[in-house]
DNA sequence: TAGTGGTCTAGACCACCTG
DNA sequence: AGGTGGTCTAGACCACTAC
């Protein structure tokens, strides 16, 4: 029976793999449990079934199940208490619903919410990188970079001012492409995905350029994200500085220590 | 030999466990590899030894080693490439070295850097919570909360303005305690540890109170962190608003998608 | 004492990258 | 084709919580 079990699971993965949808078992189980939490099938403050029960239900080993649970923990949906159980966390205070996850690219969030994100191109050219840019993008001084300045709009409303640098060697760009989502383009064209990023965040007073572009008073507070983006192969492919209107954008971050 | 191996590892854990230092094997290995990376024994851009080699070196199973590697990945120190190896990430651009991790309590960071963090108490009292506070702390309207306003100083320099709310039921506080680290006190007194937190961050113009306390001009940009802190049992035990001087504090966050 | 989650093992097979 | 990381398994033992 166990052998049978192993076989069936592997077959299952293979089928998925060679078919259209590809997913690992622990991701499927994670998604399934997540749905059950979000639909209140598992209620906030209450315990999930035990790990043994869940492993049994999904016909997977406990180790695999733990991997699923671990994803839920990282997402802040549940927490485990040794000797006691795994509990659904109380729903967070969602305030105005206008919070953006700080650990996701901004574009992703808004697309998911069916809001229309557009861009007005302010500047587009290629040039050689400065010392600082060479360091951030891990490239040499003779490798040209695209420089892009865009005003991003959500449903037509001014939202953020983005200054982006990308090595030309990553993929050819043109005005039409940068009108939309660069990430989408890079995903299909260069098979390149954002998998890691370092973000430096701070508040600053708007300089004249940012103020006029965003339509706010000079010196009004801006929220700034400086991001270096890495693809699945560990290559830095983008360095960007995004400035958001202070009293208009709030970001949320779930922090999990230990473990 | 394998049985011997299992035995020795378990003994090892037991000894540590009943002795003074307690640590899991995967944490030890994680720390060891991390040290080797930080000391440039494993160099940026290069591959680590293979997982098999490392597992062998530390005399642990590959699964346990993978757990160690996973911690390093989460920390942004390495990245793994299937079929190729595990590579040390290029050191991030550390700028002025004044970056604070956004996913750690601020106090922890500075203590680790041997910098002296002190507090000037501006306000300390207890009262009943507002509706919003009840929601954030998951308490009822008749459960009193402490309200604390502190100016935090690093090496005597004005650093942040913190407004903290904590249910009285968590642990008794007094002026002496809140002079230092509340978390340290809660850890020893109430056996309570911060394990999770939700942080909402944004930029705002300083109001008069914040401006005068932090010694900046009114309307100058502040970086604000609104935090709800949860203990290891999933209980919200603190709600705080921290305001940092804009051009003085930058925060860093490593983002990892997928996996 | 019983039950639950945490850590760890040895081993198998697969996907992916590089020659 | 060989090597490397990714996923998954069955099973053992320990730590912690609650009754």
């Amino acid at each position: 029976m166990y052998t049978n079990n192993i076989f069936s699971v592997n077959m299952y993965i293979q089928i998925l793999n060679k078919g259209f949808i590809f997913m690992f078992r622990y991701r499927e189980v994670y998604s399934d449990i997540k749905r059950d939490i979000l639909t209140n099938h598992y209620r906030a403050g209450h315990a999930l079934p035990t790990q043994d029960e869940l492993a049994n239900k999904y016909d997977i080993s406990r180790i695999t199940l733990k991997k699923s649970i671990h994803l839920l923990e990282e997402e802040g949906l549940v927490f485990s208490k040794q000797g006691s159980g795994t509990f659904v966390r109380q729903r967070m205070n969602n305030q105005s619903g206008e919070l953006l996850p700080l650990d996701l690219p901004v574009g992703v969030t808004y697309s998911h919410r069916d809001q229309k994100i557009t861009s007005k191109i302010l500047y587009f050219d290629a040039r050689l990188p400065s010392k600082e840019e060479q360091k951030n993008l891990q490239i040499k001084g003779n490798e040209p970079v695209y420089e892009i300045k865009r005003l991003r709009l959500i449903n037509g409303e001014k939202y953020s001012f983005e200054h982006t640098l990308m090595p030309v060697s990553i993929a050819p760009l043109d005005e039409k492409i940068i009108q939309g989502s660069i990430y989408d383009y890079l995903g299909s064209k260069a098979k390149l995905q954002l998998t890691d990023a370092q973000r430096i965040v701070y508040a600053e007073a708007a300089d004249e350029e940012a103020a006029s572009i965003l339509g706010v008073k000079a010196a009004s507070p801006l929220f700034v994200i400086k991001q270096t983006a890495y693809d699945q192969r560990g290559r830095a492919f983008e360095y960007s500085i995004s400035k958001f209107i202070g009293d208009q954008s709030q970001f949320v971050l779930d922090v999990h220590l230990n473990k």
Side-chain angles (χ1 to χ4, degrees), chain A:
Chain A
M1 176 207 175
Y2 286 131
T3 310
N4 212 338
N5 192 357
I6 294 172
F7 184 67
S8 68
V9 169
N10 284 348
M11 281 303 289
Y12 182 32
I13 290 172
Q14 277 189 334
I15 291 166
L16 284 178
N17 205 352
K18 290 178 180 167
F20 295 91
I21 306 163
F22 172 70
M23 227 185 193
F24 297 113
R25 201 70 185 96
Y26 72 87
R27 274 210 158 273
E28 292 188 324
V29 171
Y30 150 80
S31 296
D32 200 87
I33 298 176
K34 180 174 177 178
R35 184 171 39 70
D36 281 345
I37 291 172
L38 295 181
T39 57
N40 267 320
H41 184 240
Y42 297 137
R43 285 178 312 177
H46 292 69
L48 296 183
T50 68
Q51 293 189 355
D52 278 336
E53 285 168 354
L54 285 172
N56 225 313
K57 168 180 175 185
Y58 289 108
D59 200 21
I60 59 177
S61 73
R62 194 160 78 100
I63 284 195
T64 302
L65 177 79
K66 277 175 67 55
K67 217 163 169 180
S68 310
I69 298 284
H70 187 66
L71 287 176
L72 294 168
E73 284 179 331
E74 280 187 332
E75 203 168 325
L77 283 171
V78 306
F79 62 93
S80 291
K81 216 164 118 189
Q82 190 172 5
S84 177
T86 301
F87 299 86
V88 180
R89 210 180 269 288
Q90 300 284 37
R91 306 300 312 127
M92 299 285 190
N93 177 8
N94 249 22
Q95 311 243 45
S96 53
E98 285 300 331
L99 295 176
L100 298 175
L102 191 54
D103 51 6
L104 283 180
V106 171
V108 173
T109 309
Y110 275 108
S111 327
H112 281 185
R113 292 189 184 165
D114 289 328
Q115 303 202 54
K116 202 173 175 184
I117 188 163
T118 53
S119 299
K120 183 180 169 188
I121 300 170
L122 306 169
Y123 182 88
F124 177 48
D125 207 347
R127 59 170 171 78
L128 292 179
S130 71
K131 292 270 182 206
E132 196 198 339
E133 289 157 8
Q134 290 170 41
K135 206 165 134 198
N136 281 318
L137 290 171
Q138 299 166 24
I139 56 175
K140 292 177 180 167
N142 61 356
E143 293 183 59
V145 295
Y146 289 119
E147 180 173 24
I148 307 161
K149 292 186 181 184
R150 298 189 294 178
L151 173 66
R152 313 299 305 264
L153 305 109
I154 305 289
N155 296 329
E157 272 190 38
K158 287 175 183 174
Y159 176 63
S160 75
F161 170 39
E162 284 189 17
H163 185 184
T164 305
L165 291 163
M166 194 185 94
V168 171
S169 60
I170 298 290
L173 292 184
D174 60 38
E175 296 229 354
K176 191 179 169 190
I177 292 165
I178 64 175
Q179 194 83 40
S181 165
I182 298 181
Y183 291 164
D184 286 351
Y185 166 74
L186 292 176
S188 57
K189 170 77 180 178
K191 286 179 186 170
L192 177 157
Q193 286 178 315
L194 187 155
T195 61
D196 298 88
Q198 187 190 56
R199 295 184 152 191
I200 294 167
V201 298
Y202 57 93
E204 74 173 17
D207 58 22
E208 284 194 15
E209 182 188 30
S212 73
I213 289 168
L214 288 170
V216 299
K217 283 187 205 161
S220 63
L222 299 182
F223 187 88
V224 185
I225 302 179
K226 278 190 188 174
Q227 169 174 283
T228 306
Y230 300 85
D231 69 5
Q232 68 274 22
R233 297 171 53 197
R235 182 176 50 165
F237 70 90
E238 188 207 66
Y239 176 68
S240 68
I241 301 176
S242 302
K243 303 188 178 186
F244 299 83
I245 300 171
D247 50 10
Q248 193 173 296
S249 299
Q250 299 196 346
F251 295 84
V252 63
L253 176 68
D254 286 315
V255 176
H256 310 288
L257 306 178
N258 287 332
K259 176 83 39 57

